[in-house]
Amino acid sequence: MSLFWRMFLSNALVLVIATALLMGPWVTVSNPVLMREVLVIGGGLLALLVTNALLFRLELAPLKRLTRAMTDANLQEPGQRIRVIGRGELAELTETFNVMLSRLEAERTASSGRVLSAQEAERRRVARELHDEVGQTLTAVILQLKALTDHVPSALREEVVTAQETVRDSLDEVRRIARRLRPGVLEDLGLTSALRALVAEFSRPGVSVGHQVDSSLPALDAEAELVLYRVAQEAMTNAARHSGADRIHIELRAAGTRTVLLTVRDNGSGLVGTEEGTGIRGMRERALLLGATLTLTSDDSGGTTVRLRVPLPAEGAA
């Protein structure tokens, strides 16, 4: 029965009962109206209003639950669905909302995948240009300054050597940026070697970076390895640059037969009072591509723990 007919018939039933009471010998009205008749009619009106209120609340409760679920829906936390109760228009509306939510999640995942793929392609292009164009130009400048050192007066030789060292430092910085944009180690040697190179990159005086990689990791495809690497890179960047941490630990291990767990811990300032920036939102977008679960927590003593739980496809589990 539709919502309209349920509400109409419930009100009609209340009105029929009230009419029958008025027409029967149980309720009579005098002229002028007596006080006891006023009490009877007022009590009947109150009962009618209460009954209608209860019936409306009962019938519209699923709508309230659906509204609350629509308000709380978050595409960054997929899988949230409303339980369909009963049949009729409200059940159809709930089912339609669940279907719409599934479609939005699929479209968001697909669009995020296209955006991230384009971003990775742009990273590779910029890294290649930095390495081939800027890197070669700076190398040529270093060679020219080195050749010039033997022909300048001794009073200027120290300045030329200083300029040569400055250009060499700039070349090292360009190469470092190119490696961060395009992880060649990941493509050539795999995820384990790429994570070790990442640990070596972030290790510096005053910052201790440790790592533990499970030697029995299941086989991962290129997309999963790239997501794991980028999340680890972003988590370590946040820890080193923004949280003031001096200890960072990264761990990659198998959590069961069909799940890989990446954990990055630091002893920095934590997440209290901070808002999610583009880096964390980027990590969540990458996690959605794999159907992975990303959680960020802070300890009571400070520090942040980033966990990425990546499920393996059926063929990978075997």
Side-chain angles (χ1 to χ4, degrees):
M1 188 180 297
S2 67
L3 178 64
F4 167 78
W5 282 109
R6 288 204 304 269
M7 298 181 70
F8 173 78
L9 292 178
S10 61
N11 276 274
L13 178 61
V14 173
L15 293 175
V16 168
I17 293 175
T19 303
L21 290 174
L22 290 174
M23 295 178 63
W26 304 278
V27 179
T28 58
V29 179
S30 303
N31 188 14
V33 182
L34 302 177
M35 181 57 64
R36 62 181 182 84
E37 296 173 343
V38 171
L39 294 177
V40 171
I41 295 176
L45 178 60
L46 179 62
L48 182 64
L49 294 176
V50 171
T51 303
N52 273 277
L54 292 176
L55 289 173
F56 275 107
R57 176 175 290 274
L58 181 63
E59 294 293 339
L60 297 179
L63 270 181
K64 187 176 182 180
R65 186 174 65 252
L66 180 61
T67 302
R68 185 168 58 250
M70 289 179 175
T71 303
D72 298 337
N74 186 359
L75 294 181
Q76 290 188 342
E77 297 178 2
Q80 299 178 353
R81 298 294 182 270
I82 307 174
R83 187 164 61 95
V84 180
I85 300 176
R87 293 178 296 178
E89 294 173 336
L90 290 178
E92 293 178 1
L93 181 60
T94 303
E95 183 64 31
T96 301
F97 175 74
N98 288 337
V99 172
M100 181 191 69
L101 203 58
S102 300
R103 185 171 63 251
L104 288 176
E105 289 176 357
E107 292 176 355
R108 179 183 177 86
T109 301
S111 62
S112 298
R114 290 191 294 269
V115 170
L116 292 175
S117 296
Q119 185 184 78
E120 289 296 332
E122 185 66 13
R123 284 171 178 256
R124 288 193 293 269
R125 185 188 67 80
V126 173
R128 185 170 56 250
E129 291 186 358
L130 285 175
H131 184 273
D132 297 341
E133 303 294 336
V134 181
Q136 291 181 4
T137 301
L138 292 177
T139 301
V141 173
I142 291 174
L143 295 176
Q144 291 174 358
L145 290 174
K146 185 177 181 180
L148 186 63
T149 305
D150 300 330
H151 301 86
V152 298
S154 57
L156 298 176
R157 187 168 300 166
E158 184 177 353
E159 295 183 6
V160 175
V161 172
T162 302
Q164 184 180 354
E165 293 300 323
T166 301
V167 176
R168 184 175 286 110
D169 292 340
S170 299
L171 178 60
D172 293 339
E173 182 67 16
V174 167
R175 288 173 175 171
R176 186 187 66 82
I177 295 173
R179 285 195 301 269
R180 289 179 61 84
L181 289 174
R182 179 180 178 270
V185 179
L186 178 64
E187 298 176 0
D188 299 334
L189 301 178
L191 180 60
T192 301
S193 298
L195 291 178
R196 289 171 180 165
L198 198 61
V199 169
E201 178 183 343
F202 280 91
S203 298
R204 60 179 185 271
V207 179
S208 173
V209 183
H211 72 285
Q212 181 179 353
V213 179
D214 193 349
S215 60
S216 60
L217 284 175
L220 299 169
D221 57 23
E223 185 180 18
E225 288 191 345
L226 180 60
V227 169
L228 286 165
Y229 178 83
R230 289 301 188 194
V231 170
Q233 184 183 47
E234 184 62 36
M236 296 176 71
T237 300
N238 290 340
R241 293 184 179 178
H242 306 302
S243 70
D246 58 8
R247 290 197 308 274
I248 306 172
H249 185 79
I250 179 173
E251 179 183 3
L252 180 65
R253 62 181 177 86
T257 58
R258 301 189 60 181
T259 307
V260 173
L261 179 62
L262 171 71
T263 305
V264 181
R265 296 186 180 91
D266 66 70
N267 65 338
S269 57
L271 298 172
V272 179
T274 61
E275 296 182 358
E276 289 193 0
T278 55
I280 296 179
R281 288 196 295 270
M283 289 192 291
R284 294 193 186 279
E285 294 288 347
R286 292 184 182 277
L288 287 176
L289 290 179
L290 303 178
T293 303
L294 179 74
T295 57
L296 292 88
T297 57
S298 290
D299 302 328
D300 295 336
S301 58
T304 303
T305 301
V306 178
R307 289 186 179 88
L308 178 66
R309 191 176 297 272
V310 180
L312 297 178
E315 58 271 15

